[in-house]
Structure formats: structure tokens, C-alpha cells
Amino acid sequence: MSEFSAQPELTLFPAVDIADGKAVRLVQGESDSATNYGDPVDAAADFAKQGAEWIHLVDLDAAFGRGENRAVIRRVIRSLRDKVQVELSGGIRDDESLERAVEMGVKRVNLGTAALENPEWAANAISRYGELIAVGLDVRGTTLAARGWTREGGDLWTVLDRLEEASCARYVVTDVTKDGTLKGPNLDLLRQILERTDRPVIASGGVANLDDIAALRELVPLGLEGAIVGKALYSGAFTLRQALDVASD
């Protein structure tokens, strides 16, 4: 067995982003760039059939502060029947929304804006829920983005230091300029963050082809745990089954 094949595999998180009850994909987080891909339940079921162990669910309406898709998210979670674990992101900013997410049966909750705008609450949530909480670091350059990527949220390294002190269990790192563009992941940004934390990191944004999956797999020994994949799957660049083969070879 080669040294590469002996490495732990890269966990893939196919993304199901929900707006107005539909599965959609955005480009660089712009709300008016949505492409409709139909029923989120069908999208999740297809990924499950192809071997997904996780689904990355995003409530875009909640993230943008223009509503929520709670009923649809419940349908998606019920349809998976505990066969696939769900990670939920979007609009989780207080005790009520966090407890509602937990009650729906998600296995992980991603905090975004709340970790930037209400660090004391986020630290308490991290202390209370531990591994259930991940924090999304959505980045343009080294500036964090908040409120559905519509506002600046502070310096990446300052916030990362604060989250390390709070014992954050995991980070989801998105280069906003790459998201939905099929231009490849920001490997340099990921390496910089991996050098500054021993917590697991999940990459998001820009994956375009199977070579990108292979490149991310090479970061696993540095602490990269997984990668969120969206637009490439919906556009037919490759199937999830093909990506899983590369991520585990």
C-alpha cells in the first residue's frame, strides 16, 4: 500500500443550498445569481444514493435575513432517515435557532455571523455543545464576510485566535471569491489556516474537477478533514461517486 493510499480519506460534503424552498446554487454568494436545481429532498436523496455520508444543508433565506426554510429542511432530514448525517448552516444566531436546529436532528451546526457579531454567545455555544458546533470562516482575502456575505466581519487571524481560545472544535473555510465559480479551491489560504490550528478544517468554494479533490486530499495530513462540493456536482463536471473514489483512494 502506498503512503498516499494509507492516508485518511477526505470526507466530502455535497451541498444542498435552499432558497424559497428550492435547491439553488449561487456565484460568490450573490443572492441574485441563483440557479434553481429543483426539490432539495430529491437532491439529497441522489447524493445519498451515490454514497454520501454527510449532506451540507444551507438555509440561504435565513442567512440573508429574508425568511427561512425550516419545513423543507425538516423534510430533507426525515427523508435521509439517519442514513446520512446533516450539517446545517444559515441564520443560526441565538439560542432559539440553535436549539431548533439540534431538535431537527442535525449532527453539526455551522455558526457564521453569530461567531463574528456575538462572540460571547458563540463561545458559550461552543462550550455547551462541543463537537456539534463548527464555525464558518467566510473570507475575502483575509477579511471575513458576515450577514450572508453582505458585510465585513473582521480580520480572519484575529477571529481565528479568539475562536482557538474558545476551544472551537472545527472550522469550515470558504473563499467567497471562489464559491460557485468552478475556479479551484484556495489551497494557499487553507494551508495558512492549517498552520495556525490543530482543529479539523473543512474546505469550501471553487472545486471544479477531480484534480481539485485530489489536491485537497493531499492536505489531509496537515489537518484538512473534508471538502464541501456544490456547483461542480450540479453542473455535471463529475458525479459524487467519482469524487468519493478520488477522496478515498
PDB file of all heavy atoms in Angstrom, residues 157-184:
ATOM      1  N   TRP A 157      -7.434  36.464  11.059  1.00  0.00           N
ATOM      2  CA  TRP A 157      -6.486  35.925  12.042  1.00  0.00           C
ATOM      3  C   TRP A 157      -6.865  36.326  13.464  1.00  0.00           C
ATOM      4  O   TRP A 157      -6.699  35.537  14.393  1.00  0.00           O
ATOM      5  CB  TRP A 157      -5.071  36.367  11.696  1.00  0.00           C
ATOM      6  CG  TRP A 157      -4.712  36.035  10.282  1.00  0.00           C
ATOM      7  CD1 TRP A 157      -4.327  36.902   9.304  1.00  0.00           C
ATOM      8  CD2 TRP A 157      -4.744  34.734   9.668  1.00  0.00           C
ATOM      9  NE1 TRP A 157      -4.119  36.233   8.127  1.00  0.00           N
ATOM     10  CE2 TRP A 157      -4.361  34.916   8.311  1.00  0.00           C
ATOM     11  CE3 TRP A 157      -5.061  33.460  10.116  1.00  0.00           C
ATOM     12  CZ2 TRP A 157      -4.284  33.845   7.417  1.00  0.00           C
ATOM     13  CZ3 TRP A 157      -4.999  32.396   9.226  1.00  0.00           C
ATOM     14  CH2 TRP A 157      -4.604  32.590   7.903  1.00  0.00           C
ATOM     15  N   THR A 158      -7.422  37.529  13.631  1.00  0.00           N
ATOM     16  CA  THR A 158      -7.880  37.956  14.954  1.00  0.00           C
ATOM     17  C   THR A 158      -9.030  37.075  15.432  1.00  0.00           C
ATOM     18  O   THR A 158      -9.057  36.618  16.583  1.00  0.00           O
ATOM     19  CB  THR A 158      -8.329  39.423  14.915  1.00  0.00           C
ATOM     20  OG1 THR A 158      -7.236  40.246  14.504  1.00  0.00           O
ATOM     21  CG2 THR A 158      -8.820  39.881  16.281  1.00  0.00           C
ATOM     22  N   VAL A 159      -9.982  36.822  14.529  1.00  0.00           N
ATOM     23  CA  VAL A 159     -11.135  35.994  14.893  1.00  0.00           C
ATOM     24  C   VAL A 159     -10.701  34.553  15.131  1.00  0.00           C
ATOM     25  O   VAL A 159     -11.166  33.900  16.077  1.00  0.00           O
ATOM     26  CB  VAL A 159     -12.213  36.073  13.802  1.00  0.00           C
ATOM     27  CG1 VAL A 159     -13.321  35.056  14.072  1.00  0.00           C
ATOM     28  CG2 VAL A 159     -12.797  37.483  13.736  1.00  0.00           C
ATOM     29  N   LEU A 160      -9.793  34.042  14.304  1.00  0.00           N
ATOM     30  CA  LEU A 160      -9.326  32.670  14.499  1.00  0.00           C
ATOM     31  C   LEU A 160      -8.656  32.516  15.857  1.00  0.00           C
ATOM     32  O   LEU A 160      -8.895  31.518  16.564  1.00  0.00           O
ATOM     33  CB  LEU A 160      -8.361  32.277  13.378  1.00  0.00           C
ATOM     34  CG  LEU A 160      -7.810  30.846  13.449  1.00  0.00           C
ATOM     35  CD1 LEU A 160      -8.929  29.816  13.387  1.00  0.00           C
ATOM     36  CD2 LEU A 160      -6.800  30.609  12.327  1.00  0.00           C
ATOM     37  N   ASP A 161      -7.830  33.472  16.256  1.00  0.00           N
ATOM     38  CA  ASP A 161      -7.185  33.411  17.574  1.00  0.00           C
ATOM     39  C   ASP A 161      -8.230  33.372  18.685  1.00  0.00           C
ATOM     40  O   ASP A 161      -8.099  32.617  19.663  1.00  0.00           O
ATOM     41  CB  ASP A 161      -6.260  34.613  17.777  1.00  0.00           C
ATOM     42  CG  ASP A 161      -4.982  34.518  16.945  1.00  0.00           C
ATOM     43  OD1 ASP A 161      -4.672  33.419  16.446  1.00  0.00           O
ATOM     44  OD2 ASP A 161      -4.297  35.552  16.799  1.00  0.00           O
ATOM     45  N   ARG A 162      -9.281  34.183  18.522  1.00  0.00           N
ATOM     46  CA  ARG A 162     -10.338  34.215  19.546  1.00  0.00           C
ATOM     47  C   ARG A 162     -11.075  32.878  19.617  1.00  0.00           C
ATOM     48  O   ARG A 162     -11.378  32.369  20.703  1.00  0.00           O
ATOM     49  CB  ARG A 162     -11.320  35.333  19.220  1.00  0.00           C
ATOM     50  CG  ARG A 162     -12.384  35.550  20.283  1.00  0.00           C
ATOM     51  CD  ARG A 162     -13.270  36.714  19.936  1.00  0.00           C
ATOM     52  NE  ARG A 162     -14.198  36.383  18.859  1.00  0.00           N
ATOM     53  CZ  ARG A 162     -14.465  37.185  17.831  1.00  0.00           C
ATOM     54  NH1 ARG A 162     -13.860  38.353  17.734  1.00  0.00           N
ATOM     55  NH2 ARG A 162     -15.338  36.830  16.916  1.00  0.00           N
ATOM     56  N   LEU A 163     -11.341  32.285  18.461  1.00  0.00           N
ATOM     57  CA  LEU A 163     -12.038  31.001  18.434  1.00  0.00           C
ATOM     58  C   LEU A 163     -11.170  29.877  18.980  1.00  0.00           C
ATOM     59  O   LEU A 163     -11.671  28.942  19.613  1.00  0.00           O
ATOM     60  CB  LEU A 163     -12.486  30.686  17.005  1.00  0.00           C
ATOM     61  CG  LEU A 163     -13.603  31.584  16.469  1.00  0.00           C
ATOM     62  CD1 LEU A 163     -13.746  31.419  14.963  1.00  0.00           C
ATOM     63  CD2 LEU A 163     -14.927  31.275  17.173  1.00  0.00           C
ATOM     64  N   GLU A 164      -9.871  29.961  18.749  1.00  0.00           N
ATOM     65  CA  GLU A 164      -8.962  28.975  19.325  1.00  0.00           C
ATOM     66  C   GLU A 164      -9.011  29.043  20.853  1.00  0.00           C
ATOM     67  O   GLU A 164      -9.029  28.007  21.531  1.00  0.00           O
ATOM     68  CB  GLU A 164      -7.538  29.230  18.831  1.00  0.00           C
ATOM     69  CG  GLU A 164      -7.305  28.864  17.376  1.00  0.00           C
ATOM     70  CD  GLU A 164      -7.225  27.362  17.159  1.00  0.00           C
ATOM     71  OE1 GLU A 164      -6.199  26.760  17.496  1.00  0.00           O
ATOM     72  OE2 GLU A 164      -8.221  26.797  16.659  1.00  0.00           O
ATOM     73  N   GLU A 165      -9.049  30.246  21.384  1.00  0.00           N
ATOM     74  CA  GLU A 165      -9.140  30.412  22.839  1.00  0.00           C
ATOM     75  C   GLU A 165     -10.454  29.852  23.377  1.00  0.00           C
ATOM     76  O   GLU A 165     -10.514  29.367  24.519  1.00  0.00           O
ATOM     77  CB  GLU A 165      -9.015  31.891  23.211  1.00  0.00           C
ATOM     78  CG  GLU A 165      -7.623  32.468  22.981  1.00  0.00           C
ATOM     79  CD  GLU A 165      -7.541  33.935  23.350  1.00  0.00           C
ATOM     80  OE1 GLU A 165      -8.518  34.457  23.942  1.00  0.00           O
ATOM     81  OE2 GLU A 165      -6.507  34.555  23.051  1.00  0.00           O
ATOM     82  N   ALA A 166     -11.502  29.898  22.571  1.00  0.00           N
ATOM     83  CA  ALA A 166     -12.811  29.374  22.980  1.00  0.00           C
ATOM     84  C   ALA A 166     -12.917  27.864  22.765  1.00  0.00           C
ATOM     85  O   ALA A 166     -13.955  27.272  23.051  1.00  0.00           O
ATOM     86  CB  ALA A 166     -13.917  30.079  22.203  1.00  0.00           C
ATOM     87  N   SER A 167     -11.841  27.239  22.248  1.00  0.00           N
ATOM     88  CA  SER A 167     -11.794  25.785  22.006  1.00  0.00           C
ATOM     89  C   SER A 167     -12.804  25.345  20.950  1.00  0.00           C
ATOM     90  O   SER A 167     -13.459  24.305  21.086  1.00  0.00           O
ATOM     91  CB  SER A 167     -12.008  24.999  23.306  1.00  0.00           C
ATOM     92  OG  SER A 167     -10.994  25.292  24.234  1.00  0.00           O
ATOM     93  N   CYS A 168     -12.933  26.141  19.890  1.00  0.00           N
ATOM     94  CA  CYS A 168     -13.797  25.746  18.770  1.00  0.00           C
ATOM     95  C   CYS A 168     -13.341  24.391  18.243  1.00  0.00           C
ATOM     96  O   CYS A 168     -12.152  24.144  18.056  1.00  0.00           O
ATOM     97  CB  CYS A 168     -13.734  26.795  17.674  1.00  0.00           C
ATOM     98  SG  CYS A 168     -14.771  26.430  16.259  1.00  0.00           S
ATOM     99  N   ALA A 169     -14.289  23.511  17.975  1.00  0.00           N
ATOM    100  CA  ALA A 169     -13.955  22.134  17.607  1.00  0.00           C
ATOM    101  C   ALA A 169     -13.566  21.981  16.141  1.00  0.00           C
ATOM    102  O   ALA A 169     -12.840  21.048  15.780  1.00  0.00           O
ATOM    103  CB  ALA A 169     -15.144  21.214  17.903  1.00  0.00           C
ATOM    104  N   ARG A 170     -14.041  22.898  15.270  1.00  0.00           N
ATOM    105  CA  ARG A 170     -13.876  22.658  13.831  1.00  0.00           C
ATOM    106  C   ARG A 170     -14.184  23.957  13.075  1.00  0.00           C
ATOM    107  O   ARG A 170     -15.013  24.755  13.504  1.00  0.00           O
ATOM    108  CB  ARG A 170     -14.849  21.560  13.405  1.00  0.00           C
ATOM    109  CG  ARG A 170     -14.834  21.146  11.973  1.00  0.00           C
ATOM    110  CD  ARG A 170     -15.790  19.965  11.745  1.00  0.00           C
ATOM    111  NE  ARG A 170     -15.161  18.680  12.107  1.00  0.00           N
ATOM    112  CZ  ARG A 170     -15.316  18.057  13.274  1.00  0.00           C
ATOM    113  NH1 ARG A 170     -16.108  18.575  14.211  1.00  0.00           N
ATOM    114  NH2 ARG A 170     -14.722  16.907  13.505  1.00  0.00           N
ATOM    115  N   TYR A 171     -13.506  24.123  11.930  1.00  0.00           N
ATOM    116  CA  TYR A 171     -13.730  25.303  11.093  1.00  0.00           C
ATOM    117  C   TYR A 171     -14.133  24.890   9.680  1.00  0.00           C
ATOM    118  O   TYR A 171     -13.615  23.916   9.139  1.00  0.00           O
ATOM    119  CB  TYR A 171     -12.461  26.162  11.013  1.00  0.00           C
ATOM    120  CG  TYR A 171     -11.953  26.599  12.363  1.00  0.00           C
ATOM    121  CD1 TYR A 171     -10.817  26.005  12.920  1.00  0.00           C
ATOM    122  CD2 TYR A 171     -12.602  27.593  13.091  1.00  0.00           C
ATOM    123  CE1 TYR A 171     -10.351  26.394  14.162  1.00  0.00           C
ATOM    124  CE2 TYR A 171     -12.146  27.982  14.338  1.00  0.00           C
ATOM    125  CZ  TYR A 171     -11.019  27.380  14.870  1.00  0.00           C
ATOM    126  OH  TYR A 171     -10.569  27.763  16.104  1.00  0.00           O
ATOM    127  N   VAL A 172     -15.047  25.660   9.098  1.00  0.00           N
ATOM    128  CA  VAL A 172     -15.415  25.495   7.696  1.00  0.00           C
ATOM    129  C   VAL A 172     -14.945  26.756   6.980  1.00  0.00           C
ATOM    130  O   VAL A 172     -15.450  27.850   7.232  1.00  0.00           O
ATOM    131  CB  VAL A 172     -16.930  25.313   7.522  1.00  0.00           C
ATOM    132  CG1 VAL A 172     -17.285  25.164   6.048  1.00  0.00           C
ATOM    133  CG2 VAL A 172     -17.415  24.104   8.312  1.00  0.00           C
ATOM    134  N   VAL A 173     -13.970  26.596   6.098  1.00  0.00           N
ATOM    135  CA  VAL A 173     -13.299  27.747   5.487  1.00  0.00           C
ATOM    136  C   VAL A 173     -13.749  27.904   4.038  1.00  0.00           C
ATOM    137  O   VAL A 173     -13.555  27.001   3.218  1.00  0.00           O
ATOM    138  CB  VAL A 173     -11.774  27.576   5.551  1.00  0.00           C
ATOM    139  CG1 VAL A 173     -11.078  28.750   4.863  1.00  0.00           C
ATOM    140  CG2 VAL A 173     -11.299  27.458   6.999  1.00  0.00           C
ATOM    141  N   THR A 174     -14.332  29.057   3.737  1.00  0.00           N
ATOM    142  CA  THR A 174     -14.806  29.354   2.400  1.00  0.00           C
ATOM    143  C   THR A 174     -14.122  30.600   1.858  1.00  0.00           C
ATOM    144  O   THR A 174     -14.171  31.654   2.504  1.00  0.00           O
ATOM    145  CB  THR A 174     -16.330  29.604   2.390  1.00  0.00           C
ATOM    146  OG1 THR A 174     -17.006  28.482   2.940  1.00  0.00           O
ATOM    147  CG2 THR A 174     -16.835  29.843   0.976  1.00  0.00           C
ATOM    148  N   ASP A 175     -13.495  30.482   0.700  1.00  0.00           N
ATOM    149  CA  ASP A 175     -13.051  31.662  -0.033  1.00  0.00           C
ATOM    150  C   ASP A 175     -14.246  32.149  -0.839  1.00  0.00           C
ATOM    151  O   ASP A 175     -14.647  31.524  -1.819  1.00  0.00           O
ATOM    152  CB  ASP A 175     -11.876  31.314  -0.954  1.00  0.00           C
ATOM    153  CG  ASP A 175     -11.333  32.533  -1.703  1.00  0.00           C
ATOM    154  OD1 ASP A 175     -12.085  33.517  -1.869  1.00  0.00           O
ATOM    155  OD2 ASP A 175     -10.162  32.498  -2.119  1.00  0.00           O
ATOM    156  N   VAL A 176     -14.839  33.254  -0.398  1.00  0.00           N
ATOM    157  CA  VAL A 176     -16.068  33.748  -1.009  1.00  0.00           C
ATOM    158  C   VAL A 176     -15.865  34.044  -2.499  1.00  0.00           C
ATOM    159  O   VAL A 176     -16.771  33.851  -3.317  1.00  0.00           O
ATOM    160  CB  VAL A 176     -16.575  35.009  -0.269  1.00  0.00           C
ATOM    161  CG1 VAL A 176     -17.785  35.606  -0.962  1.00  0.00           C
ATOM    162  CG2 VAL A 176     -16.895  34.675   1.180  1.00  0.00           C
ATOM    163  N   THR A 177     -14.675  34.501  -2.869  1.00  0.00           N
ATOM    164  CA  THR A 177     -14.421  34.841  -4.266  1.00  0.00           C
ATOM    165  C   THR A 177     -14.364  33.603  -5.151  1.00  0.00           C
ATOM    166  O   THR A 177     -14.456  33.700  -6.379  1.00  0.00           O
ATOM    167  CB  THR A 177     -13.103  35.610  -4.429  1.00  0.00           C
ATOM    168  OG1 THR A 177     -11.990  34.757  -4.113  1.00  0.00           O
ATOM    169  CG2 THR A 177     -13.075  36.826  -3.518  1.00  0.00           C
ATOM    170  N   LYS A 178     -14.212  32.432  -4.554  1.00  0.00           N
ATOM    171  CA  LYS A 178     -14.153  31.183  -5.307  1.00  0.00           C
ATOM    172  C   LYS A 178     -15.500  30.468  -5.372  1.00  0.00           C
ATOM    173  O   LYS A 178     -15.742  29.667  -6.279  1.00  0.00           O
ATOM    174  CB  LYS A 178     -13.144  30.225  -4.656  1.00  0.00           C
ATOM    175  CG  LYS A 178     -11.698  30.715  -4.665  1.00  0.00           C
ATOM    176  CD  LYS A 178     -11.032  30.384  -5.973  1.00  0.00           C
ATOM    177  CE  LYS A 178      -9.533  30.569  -5.904  1.00  0.00           C
ATOM    178  NZ  LYS A 178      -8.862  30.172  -7.165  1.00  0.00           N
ATOM    179  N   ASP A 179     -16.374  30.746  -4.407  1.00  0.00           N
ATOM    180  CA  ASP A 179     -17.583  29.948  -4.252  1.00  0.00           C
ATOM    181  C   ASP A 179     -18.480  30.031  -5.489  1.00  0.00           C
ATOM    182  O   ASP A 179     -18.831  31.123  -5.948  1.00  0.00           O
ATOM    183  CB  ASP A 179     -18.364  30.415  -3.015  1.00  0.00           C
ATOM    184  CG  ASP A 179     -19.476  29.454  -2.655  1.00  0.00           C
ATOM    185  OD1 ASP A 179     -19.163  28.352  -2.199  1.00  0.00           O
ATOM    186  OD2 ASP A 179     -20.641  29.812  -2.857  1.00  0.00           O
ATOM    187  N   GLY A 180     -18.842  28.875  -6.013  1.00  0.00           N
ATOM    188  CA  GLY A 180     -19.734  28.812  -7.155  1.00  0.00           C
ATOM    189  C   GLY A 180     -19.110  29.191  -8.484  1.00  0.00           C
ATOM    190  O   GLY A 180     -19.803  29.287  -9.496  1.00  0.00           O
ATOM    191  N   THR A 181     -17.779  29.391  -8.528  1.00  0.00           N
ATOM    192  CA  THR A 181     -17.121  29.867  -9.744  1.00  0.00           C
ATOM    193  C   THR A 181     -16.457  28.765 -10.544  1.00  0.00           C
ATOM    194  O   THR A 181     -16.065  28.991 -11.695  1.00  0.00           O
ATOM    195  CB  THR A 181     -16.041  30.904  -9.398  1.00  0.00           C
ATOM    196  OG1 THR A 181     -14.994  30.262  -8.649  1.00  0.00           O
ATOM    197  CG2 THR A 181     -16.616  32.063  -8.592  1.00  0.00           C
ATOM    198  N   LEU A 182     -16.255  27.585  -9.932  1.00  0.00           N
ATOM    199  CA  LEU A 182     -15.547  26.481 -10.586  1.00  0.00           C
ATOM    200  C   LEU A 182     -14.127  26.897 -10.986  1.00  0.00           C
ATOM    201  O   LEU A 182     -13.627  26.468 -12.032  1.00  0.00           O
ATOM    202  CB  LEU A 182     -16.327  25.988 -11.812  1.00  0.00           C
ATOM    203  CG  LEU A 182     -17.746  25.453 -11.555  1.00  0.00           C
ATOM    204  CD1 LEU A 182     -18.418  25.078 -12.869  1.00  0.00           C
ATOM    205  CD2 LEU A 182     -17.721  24.274 -10.598  1.00  0.00           C
ATOM    206  N   LYS A 183     -13.470  27.700 -10.152  1.00  0.00           N
ATOM    207  CA  LYS A 183     -12.114  28.172 -10.456  1.00  0.00           C
ATOM    208  C   LYS A 183     -11.044  27.540  -9.572  1.00  0.00           C
ATOM    209  O   LYS A 183      -9.902  27.973  -9.567  1.00  0.00           O
ATOM    210  CB  LYS A 183     -12.055  29.695 -10.337  1.00  0.00           C
ATOM    211  CG  LYS A 183     -12.868  30.415 -11.399  1.00  0.00           C
ATOM    212  CD  LYS A 183     -12.723  31.921 -11.291  1.00  0.00           C
ATOM    213  CE  LYS A 183     -13.492  32.631 -12.399  1.00  0.00           C
ATOM    214  NZ  LYS A 183     -13.386  34.104 -12.304  1.00  0.00           N
ATOM    215  N   GLY A 184     -11.425  26.504  -8.824  1.00  0.00           N
ATOM    216  CA  GLY A 184     -10.459  25.815  -7.985  1.00  0.00           C
ATOM    217  C   GLY A 184     -10.426  26.359  -6.572  1.00  0.00           C
ATOM    218  O   GLY A 184     -10.678  27.546  -6.350  1.00  0.00           O
TER     219      GLY A 184
END
